Amino acid sequence: MVRNVAIVGGGHSDWGERAATWKDLAQEGGKAAFDAVPEVGPEDIEGLFVGAVQPERFANQTHVAPLVAELLGIEVTEMIARTELACASGQAALRYAWLAIAAGQLDVALVLGVEKMNLGRKYMPEMQASMANVLDREFDGANGLAAPPFFAWYAQRHMHEYGTTREQLSQVAAKNKTNASKTDFAQFQSSCAIEDVEESPEIAAPLHLFDCSGITDGAAGAILMSEEKAREVTDTPAFITGSGQSSMAGNSINNLPSLSTWPQARKASQNAYEQAGIEDPLADIDVAEVHDCFSISEIIEYEELGFAERGEGGQFIEDGRSHIDGDVAVNPRGGLLGCGHPLGATGISQALEITHQFQGTVSSDRQVDDPTTGLIHNLSGSASVHSVMVLDRDPQ
Amino acid sequence: MSDDTPDRKRVSVPEEIELPRLLDFYELQTDDHTRIHEFYENLRDGQLTTTRCQDCEEIHYPPRIVCPECMGDNLAYVDLPHEGELFAFSEVRGGLPIGLAEHDVPYVVAVVDLGPVRLSARVDGAAYDDLEIGDPVELNIVEIDGPTEEERVFYRFEPVNENGGDSE
């Protein structure tokens, strides 16, 4: 039953604080996807998967997948769905499309992620309240808990337990924001020094503004095909060779086993690595787009994804091993810290970066040297869910 | 706009829309609204409690109506300690949810280790720079004003005054 599945291409809207509606963004992302793959048009799409987290709250719109079909002229013949898994919604959409094509239910899918988050300054507390509702609102949201203080706890505990330093956090943010200055659609377009991070306003101690990903409007669209169809369209498809997902039975703060580790990231990556035949991720993965929603996240991810031993993530960035010319290029696109984080679009943008790295079509100053294997990673909610997908130039 | 703009019919939308109760922070707490009302009643009486499964003895927080360990629904409320230790904390200055933007900033939000459970909570009467992991804190029950007439309470913590009532 299982067939090889590939991403053949795709594209982005501009990301940032946009003078555009949710529907505008969806159209920009869809057009960018079809423009990037001129051999495929709306008439070829059999399945449509839309990653969108809070269109009800940010854009007063629900039942969004059929709306996207209408906006892009897609007559879906096989499967249509919107995926909501908070910050991992885009990767969830990719995963469903991959499963449907691998299972032989369809051959061609459009995966579109889109989020409109900037509501005007006056209404940003409403957006932040919607984000806080990702947690257990009754027992955590009511405490004024939102993403920045939640990840600040992780930073504090990681520093407390492993000796990770404030400067190492800054090194992650400076690397990713500087990488984003080479990415045309990214929200943040300036290079960033370590001092810039520490001089930015404190948002939730010990995290500063530049330790936090942006509030971003944006869309990204990717076209997925069965291997047979993909070969008709491109000589350089990016094959999905592994996909793992793991969730603990705990979303409330009380039920998290640790505030310095993410066992579910380890489990999801191990499942994906096993499927993809990867035994040593540090040696085998050339390029990774990981979920750096906050600077501390990337340090923990080095450890849980198998690039560094537990507790040594801070040293990994300090030694430059995650830079574009390091042992594994982590977030050459600029990550969430540099590109911004339009929730539903992020996972799809990460997968496109790996695809474009394989195809050699990214800006030359962020091109990794001849990558053959990459991964994307997202976490969601109280980091209780982790999703990992392995991509390869060859279908194993 | 030129003077020859045709007369147009004017339509309007309300200038003020009352915030739906659903959008405030706190749940309604009585037996008309929630099956864990006993948790809130105990809190109103000054006691922090949670549920414990009578069949498998699993203790849960937040309180439940079904035991996630054994799927039993024979749960009883048990007292939690009112003193614990700071496991992690942060001081929030930005990225604020609705209702918190205009006042209360900065505020400290922490994970408090009570022994049987760990829970998130606001910590009043302290600044980030004055606190350390492991510091003792004690329960502080607050009453919630508005935007509903319903009586509501919630729990917070505050640092234990180590000088206490003793003169030192």
Side-chain angles (χ1 to χ4, degrees), chain A residues 80-339:
Chain A
I80 181 165
R82 166 219 178 162
T83 61
E84 188 277 295
L85 190 66
C87 304
S89 297
Q91 185 168 164
L94 286 168
R95 189 172 157 85
Y96 293 156
W98 166 69
L99 283 167
I101 296 170
Q105 297 299 305
L106 52 96
D107 285 309
V108 186
L110 175 66
V111 179
L112 185 85
V114 53
E115 212 75 45
K116 171 72 186 176
M117 302 181 72
N118 286 287
L119 307 181
R121 184 161 293 274
K122 181 180 172 189
Y123 298 106
M124 292 312 277
E126 153 65 5
M127 186 285 302
Q128 296 287 1
S130 300
M131 294 293 292
N133 290 350
V134 168
L135 303 171
D136 181 335
R137 183 169 180 269
E138 183 176 12
F139 287 93
D140 293 323
N143 294 321
L145 185 64
F150 177 74
F151 286 92
W153 292 341
Y154 275 87
Q156 187 191 45
R157 288 298 310 187
H158 209 273
M159 293 159 115
H160 179 74
E161 293 175 32
Y162 299 119
T164 300
T165 65
R166 178 54 256 183
E167 184 167 359
Q168 289 166 344
L169 298 176
S170 301
Q171 287 166 349
V172 170
K175 166 179 74 74
N176 292 355
K177 284 182 181 291
T178 300
N179 286 352
S181 68
K182 303 157 191 166
T183 301
D184 56 359
F185 67 86
Q187 182 168 15
F188 302 103
Q189 292 286 340
S190 304
S191 62
C192 174
I194 288 167
E195 311 81 74
D196 296 332
V197 183
E198 285 158 32
E199 287 167 10
S200 66
E202 196 170 64
I203 295 294
L207 298 181
H208 291 244
L209 181 64
F210 285 9
D211 289 301
C212 311
S213 54
I215 306 299
T216 315
D217 308 329
I223 293 170
L224 273 66
M225 302 177 101
S226 59
E227 180 176 10
E228 187 186 6
K229 290 274 186 185
R231 298 278 188 204
E232 296 172 10
V233 168
T234 177
D235 296 330
T236 53
F239 289 96
I240 297 169
T241 54
S243 172
Q245 201 170 53
S246 179
S247 170
M248 71 176 71
N251 193 53
S252 301
I253 301 315
N254 175 66
N255 295 304
L256 300 177
S258 154
L259 287 179
S260 60
T261 64
W262 287 328
Q264 266 50 42
R266 186 164 295 246
K267 175 71 178 157
S269 63
Q270 283 170 346
N271 289 349
Y273 293 156
E274 191 173 328
Q275 290 167 34
I278 288 172
E279 291 176 359
D280 180 353
L282 182 60
D284 295 344
I285 303 286
D286 302 312
V287 53
E289 282 284 334
V290 307
H291 200 96
D292 58 327
C293 48
F294 295 86
S295 52
I296 183 60
S297 309
E298 185 169 309
I299 287 176
I300 299 174
E301 286 150 15
Y302 298 149
E303 300 170 10
E304 303 293 357
L305 297 175
F307 302 150
E309 294 297 316
R310 206 165 252 169
E312 295 179 8
Q315 194 62 46
F316 194 76
I317 176 72
E318 189 171 320
D319 292 344
R321 300 180 71 186
S322 54
H323 284 250
I324 288 173
D325 59 357
D327 294 341
V328 52
V330 179
N331 288 327
R333 181 186 69 124
L336 286 59
L337 287 168
C339 290

Side-chain angles (χ1 to χ4, degrees), chain A residues 57 124-126 128-129 132-133 136-146 148-150 152-154 156-157 160-161 202-207 252-259, chain B residues 22-27 36 39-40 60-64 87-101 107 109-111 117-122 128 133 154-155:
Chain A
R57 289 291 287 269
M124 292 312 277
E126 153 65 5
Q128 296 287 1
N133 290 350
D136 181 335
R137 183 169 180 269
E138 183 176 12
F139 287 93
D140 293 323
N143 294 321
L145 185 64
F150 177 74
W153 292 341
Y154 275 87
Q156 187 191 45
R157 288 298 310 187
H160 179 74
E161 293 175 32
E202 196 170 64
I203 295 294
L207 298 181
S252 301
I253 301 315
N254 175 66
N255 295 304
L256 300 177
S258 154
L259 287 179
Chain B
L22 190 63
L23 293 184
D24 85 25
F25 299 126
Y26 301 97
E27 294 293 319
I36 59 164
F39 168 81
Y40 291 110
H60 332 103
Y61 194 89
R64 312 292 176 94
F87 183 75
F89 57 94
S90 178
E91 187 172 74
V92 182
R93 293 176 183 273
L96 296 154
I98 194 168
L100 288 172
Y107 60 85
V109 60
V111 177
V117 302
R118 286 204 308 241
L119 73 175
S120 71
R122 290 276 289 271
Y128 181 82
I133 288 174
F154 211 68
Y155 54 86

Side-chain angles (χ1 to χ4, degrees), chain B residues 18-37:
Chain B
E18 191 177 339
L19 184 70
R21 208 288 306 159
L22 190 63
L23 293 184
D24 85 25
F25 299 126
Y26 301 97
E27 294 293 319
L28 298 180
Q29 299 177 348
T30 63
D31 59 359
D32 294 340
H33 300 286
T34 174
R35 291 187 60 198
I36 59 164
H37 56 88

